[in-house]
Every structure is written in structure tokens, then in C-alpha cells.
Amino acid sequence: MERRSLLRAAVIGGTSAALGGTLWRGAAYAAPAQPGTGPYGALGSPDANGIRLPSGFTSRVIARSGQRVGSTSYTWHNAPDGGACYADGTGWIYVSNSEINPSGGASAVKFSSTGAITGAYRILSGTRQNCAGGKTPWNTWLSCEEVSLGHVYETDPWGTSAAVQRPAMGSFKHEAAAADPVRKVIYLTEDETNGRFYRFVPAAWGNLSSGTLQVMVAGSATSGSFTWADVPDPDGSPTATRSQVSGSKSFNGGEGCHYANDTVWFTTKGDNRVWQLNLLNNTYELAYDDSLVNGTAPLTGVDNITGASSGDLFVAEDGGTMEICVITPDDVVASFLRIDGQSGSEITGPAFSPGGTRLYFSSQRGTTGSSSGGITYEVTGPFRS
């Protein structure tokens, strides 16, 4: 679905409204819309899992850290983070990272066509603080280490092939990855206060063992044109990758990343922004910036991001009010769900099942505020198509 610029999006007092101009030009605000005017309506009361959902949606707990997954013998990992879904015959698989250090890694849960849990297992071990990542078109999971000189590991969601480190994709504080099958590149975010936005150009598409790491070069403004420049030393030692290319653009805490229809979106938690790059004309702009709506926006602590077939973006909060918010192609920003009673946690790993009717995500630290208290959920309902 073609998606137009979201720069007119605003939220006022928890409701949505359209602006008459771009955010950074200080356009006058329109009158706020009525509560519940997002595409899914108002949030209801907390359900049995403490989740507030729009009418027609239900939630269930899929897994809890330190406990067996369903009727399987597999114990779910601590601090569940980034995730993705994969078609598996008539069923599907949800993979999830573990953001602990040491250990880290990633696990998977298998579902039947009815959504019943049929298996759970480890797909990556022996890594550090695996935060987000990304799905490849050839159905592997790129699990990213959020540590200094961290790496990307290409993993098999079915757990039959061993995970492989991909050093050509750079050694830095990796966060998320998003594959672009048109330009045949992988976009990468860096979770540093002066992080950069990268792309990896494989020597052969579908094989990440070799290629060229590039960094985005642009001015200091919040919109403009950009180019790509090769990173001379992707291993980041002795000079960090973010410091090697003069003119590379700094971003405050790169987080989630999503590609669709010649556009890539990524979030920066340090300044609570969502950025978008138009890959057809090599321009960038802000898709969302809560500092320009007087701090009344429901979307704060932007983190993981994913997209639906409708063109809607779903953005998870790290803290904030523990919400997943939706940004629509019609410039509406609204709350989709909220988890009550877990203010010491963050929402991670949003991903849709292949049919788009189920949304998976985790509360990384659950009600305990500890990495051992993670909870992974499924929400089912009438998602827009």
C-alpha cells in the first residue's frame, strides 16, 4: 500500500488530530479529535491479563520467562525482546530474542493453523544481549547484539541449521535490521546516543557472508537528501564505525526498523522520533516527533516497530504508558493497546502472524520489573487489511 508522508500526524491529550503543515515548521494545531477516533476505537477495561484492548480483540499469554511453553518441555528465556513471524505449512513460528548479558540468544514457538502451540525450542545460544533484529526474505532471523562491538547472527527459525555470525555487517551496538528486496540491502540501526543508520550491501543477495557496510550521510536538519558512504573498517576497532565517515548523520538512540514499499522507517528513543526515508528519491524526514505536540502524545519511549498489510505502523513503547500505538497512512496516531500494572517493563517484539490476524509481543520484565519476569502475549482480532 502506498504510504504518504506522516509529518502532519499529531496527537493531543491522547486523541488524534491532523496538522495543517509539517511538524518542524511549527504549524498551527487543529482542534483535537474526540477520544477513541483511532482506527480501532477506544481502549476497554483491562482484561484478565491486564491488557486494555479495543472492542473485538482478545489476548492470551503464550509464554513466561522461566516457565515451560504450553505443554512443551522447553523453558522460555528471560527478557524477551525483538521478534518476527514465519509461515510454517498451515501454521507459523514466532521467534524472540533474549536481551540478557551474558547468554542472550533467541528462542522460537511453533503454532498450528488454529493457533495451538505445538513446539518451542532454542535457535541461538552463547551470544550477548540480543535486542532486536529483522526477518530476511529467505526466511532467516537476524538477531542483533546490543553491546559494544556486537554482531549480527543469522539464525534458522526452524532450529535445524546452526546460527552463523555475520561480521561483514559490522561490529557496533546493533539494534534492529530490515531487509529491502528491491535494492537488495539490509538496513541497520545503532543504539548509541550518537548512533548512525547503516545499510549492508551483500556481495550476493541471499548470502550475508560478505559485502559492503555503508553509513547514511546527511546534514543536521530533520529533513533533506541523503547519500551512502562505505565504512572503511566495519569491525569497528580501533575506531568505532560511527566515527569513521565524515558527514555521516548522527541519530539519538536507534531502535526499531521496518521496510515496506520503497520506504524505511526507524525509531530513535533518545529524542522520541520516528524517521522515514524515501528510497525512490533519497530524501528523509520526520514521521513522528512527540516534542512538537507539547508532551501530550500517547506515543512515548518509541522502540520496536512493525507494519501491517493495511499500511499501519505499530510502534511499541519502552516504558511510557506501556502501549503499542498505531500510526496510520491517514496521519492518525492513536493507542492500540495498553498493559496495566507493569510500569517497570517495556513492550518488545511486535510481529504479525502470516495471515495478519494475530499480533505477538512481549512485556520484557512483566509485573516484577525483572528480566526473569518476561511475558509473551498474543492478541487476536479484526486487524485492518
Side-chain angles (χ1 to χ4, degrees), residues 58-373:
T58 58
S59 76
R60 67 166 172 159
V61 173
I62 296 302
R64 295 179 183 272
S65 296
Q67 298 184 22
R68 291 182 178 181
V69 180
S71 60
T72 74
S73 61
Y74 184 73
T75 301
W76 198 235
H77 55 260
N78 288 347
D81 207 286
C85 281
Y86 298 80
D88 179 45
T90 58
W92 58 91
I93 296 169
Y94 177 67
V95 301
S96 171
N97 282 341
S98 175
E99 195 187 13
I100 57 174
N101 188 7
S103 295
S107 302
V109 182
K110 292 188 73 170
F111 299 88
S112 71
S113 59
T114 63
I117 296 172
T118 61
Y121 45 90
R122 195 77 170 178
I123 61 173
L124 176 65
S125 299
T127 55
R128 304 166 296 162
Q129 202 161 321
N130 296 75
C131 196
K135 180 180 178 180
T136 69
W138 49 94
N139 286 327
T140 58
W141 168 243
L142 302 180
S143 184
C144 298
E145 289 184 312
E146 190 195 0
V147 294
S148 179
L149 299 180
H151 289 99
V152 175
Y153 290 81
E154 187 169 15
T155 67
D156 175 15
W158 286 262
T160 57
S161 299
V164 180
Q165 187 186 97
R166 297 302 188 192
M169 300 183 78
S171 299
F172 54 87
K173 201 172 184 180
H174 282 276
E175 181 72 28
D180 176 351
V182 177
R183 280 144 287 269
K184 298 182 178 179
V185 301
I186 308 289
Y187 302 103
L188 301 161
T189 57
E190 180 179 26
D191 193 359
E192 299 275 9
T193 56
N194 61 340
R196 299 302 196 260
F197 188 70
Y198 303 89
R199 74 174 187 179
F200 178 68
V201 186
W205 187 234
N207 184 343
L208 303 179
S209 61
S210 64
T212 303
L213 182 68
Q214 298 181 324
V215 65
M216 179 179 167
V217 175
S220 59
T222 50
S223 68
S225 60
F226 68 89
T227 58
W228 300 100
D230 293 354
V231 175
D233 186 10
D235 71 6
S237 178
T239 303
T241 54
R242 64 186 180 278
S243 302
Q244 292 182 24
V245 176
S246 176
S248 60
K249 186 169 178 60
S250 176
F251 292 98
N252 190 352
E255 293 286 343
C257 192
H258 175 68
Y259 168 86
N261 302 318
D262 298 311
T263 303
V264 61
W265 293 269
F266 64 96
T267 62
T268 50
K269 189 167 62 181
D271 48 18
N272 211 57
R273 288 171 165 171
V274 181
W275 300 82
Q276 67 180 53
L277 274 59
N278 183 324
L279 302 167
L280 293 177
N281 61 17
N282 287 337
T283 60
Y284 70 95
E285 56 188 354
L286 281 173
Y288 174 81
D289 183 358
D290 86 323
S291 69
L292 299 176
V293 287
N294 298 326
T296 57
L299 178 54
T300 56
V302 298
D303 203 316
N304 291 173
I305 184 171
T306 194
S309 59
S310 60
D312 294 333
L313 297 175
F314 286 76
V315 187
E317 291 186 336
D318 180 349
T321 52
M322 285 292 288
E323 292 187 342
I324 293 179
C325 291
V326 59
I327 304 177
T328 77
D330 298 322
D331 300 343
V332 172
V333 182
S335 303
F336 170 70
L337 65 78
R338 181 186 308 144
I339 304 177
D340 279 4
Q342 299 186 27
S343 59
S345 187
E346 62 184 275
I347 298 179
T348 59
F352 282 94
S353 63
T357 60
R358 301 168 190 254
L359 176 65
Y360 296 92
F361 61 92
S362 296
S363 171
Q364 189 179 82
R365 297 177 292 278
T367 58
T368 68
S370 165
S371 62
S372 61

